[in-house]
Amino acid sequence: MGTEVYGIGAAQSPDNVGETILVDNMDRSQCRILSDEHADEEGNLPMFRIIGTITKTKVIHNENECEDQYQLKCWKHASVPFVYVEGLIADDSEHPDAKAAAALLKFCQKPEIPLKIGLSVEGGTIERSGHDKKVLARTVSTGFAMTVKPCNHKCALFVKNDLMKSDRKIVPPARYFEALKKSQAKTSVFENKNLMLLFYMEKLKKSLVDYFGAFTDLKCHHCGKAVRLFKSTQNMPNGCSKCGNSYSLSDIWKALNK
């Protein structure tokens, strides 16, 4: 079975361009596709960009409508009416882009990682309202896209088991135990000079590795153009400046693992 995910597919609040979607008026009857980034301007979605399926959607207006801990976490994140989404990534099959998307999502769940994955609606707008036509009064959704730049910052995506407590124990490297056994200090391990030296050498090694590994090249699989950037950037580009095509989550995952 693939990676189970959940999140906020659409939130009833202004997005990056000031548009607000009315979640109650979204037609979700054909909402089945979980994709990697958006379709092109003509609405075409290449088959390899389909990385999974949507298994459940539900509109939640307030905290009392939350049925479980996952929906409650999404409500606390959005704090406005939203479309709750559950899906399944096909990373258990021989689908390289699905595997990369699942790996990147799990990687980005770590609190120390600034890059976050969100969701954006795939579909279209049937009717707009408001004096500036910024209210998406009636919409239709065929699915949701995993993206590093969701249209609405409230539309976060999470791994289904992220609320489970891990029973794995964190075990220090064996060399620390060996150094401790040799140490004659009884009040503090840092009173032993050899252990202090080992500790600071490890910190220096990590600092050097972090520095030289801080940069990466994000390469477009369409035209081959590469862009140099920091791995720790919060503003990861999702489109190639040369050909205009979207970077896949596989492109981004490869860049972060160089």
Side-chain angles (χ1 to χ4, degrees):
M1 186 175 181
T3 299
E4 294 181 278
V5 297
Y6 70 100
I8 301 161
Q12 195 163 297
S13 63
D15 62 15
N16 296 339
V17 294
E19 296 180 337
T20 300
I21 188 168
L22 302 184
V23 294
D24 283 318
N25 296 341
M26 178 189 288
D27 180 357
R28 310 187 311 279
S29 60
Q30 302 299 316
C31 186
R32 300 187 180 94
I33 297 173
L34 181 62
S35 62
D36 173 351
E37 287 295 348
H38 281 293
D40 60 26
E41 293 181 356
E42 286 74 35
N44 300 315
L45 188 65
M47 185 61 68
F48 75 93
R49 303 297 282 274
I50 300 175
I51 57 174
T53 185
I54 300 300
T55 58
K56 177 179 180 178
T57 64
K58 173 189 174 181
V59 175
I60 295 177
H61 304 90
N62 55 61
E63 185 174 337
N64 295 331
E65 294 181 359
C66 297
E67 299 173 343
D68 54 37
Q69 58 184 341
Y70 303 112
Q71 294 180 14
L72 182 60
K73 178 175 179 177
C74 289
W75 168 256
K76 290 182 177 179
H77 184 88
S79 300
V80 294
F82 68 96
V83 177
Y84 173 77
V85 174
E86 290 185 0
L88 193 63
I89 301 177
D91 56 313
D92 59 336
S93 61
E94 296 304 313
H95 190 327
D97 283 45
K99 288 183 177 180
L104 182 60
L105 178 61
K106 292 172 183 176
F107 175 74
C108 292
Q109 301 289 287
K110 301 176 182 179
E112 68 272 19
I113 303 302
L115 180 64
K116 300 302 176 187
I117 305 295
L119 290 173
S120 284
V121 180
E122 292 283 14
T125 302
I126 300 173
E127 179 184 340
R128 291 174 175 268
S129 64
H131 70 279
D132 53 1
K133 300 298 182 182
K134 292 283 190 177
V135 176
L136 308 184
R138 290 179 59 211
T139 55
V140 58
S141 171
T142 56
F144 295 91
M146 291 176 56
T147 174
V148 294
K149 288 191 175 181
C151 294
N152 191 318
H153 72 278
K154 291 182 179 290
C155 294
L157 183 64
F158 309 101
V159 177
K160 193 73 180 287
N161 64 0
D162 70 339
L163 295 179
M164 297 173 63
K165 292 183 178 179
S166 173
D167 57 359
R168 295 179 59 187
K169 294 181 178 179
I170 300 176
V171 181
R175 61 181 178 276
Y176 285 108
F177 287 114
E178 294 172 1
L180 283 170
K181 288 179 181 179
K182 295 178 181 179
S183 174
Q184 300 300 316
K186 296 183 180 180
T187 57
S188 171
V189 295
F190 290 104
E191 291 177 11
N192 182 278
K193 294 181 179 180
N194 291 330
L195 188 56
M196 286 180 67
L197 179 61
L198 178 62
F199 176 77
Y200 286 112
M201 285 179 66
E202 285 293 322
K203 290 195 69 174
L204 176 60
K205 179 182 177 182
K206 184 179 185 302
S207 297
L208 291 173
V209 170
D210 288 346
Y211 176 77
F212 289 111
F215 300 93
T216 188
D217 291 312
L218 178 56
K219 186 176 182 180
C220 176
H221 68 277
H222 287 282
C223 68
K225 177 180 173 59
V227 58
R228 193 77 166 164
L229 46 78
F230 280 104
K231 288 184 178 181
S232 60
T233 180
Q234 289 181 291
N235 190 31
M236 182 73 71
N238 66 338
C240 177
S241 60
K242 181 178 180 181
C243 68
N245 285 294
S246 297
Y247 292 120
S248 69
L249 295 182
S250 179
D251 295 333
I252 297 173
W253 179 240
K254 289 176 183 177
L256 291 176
N257 279 272
K258 286 182 179 179

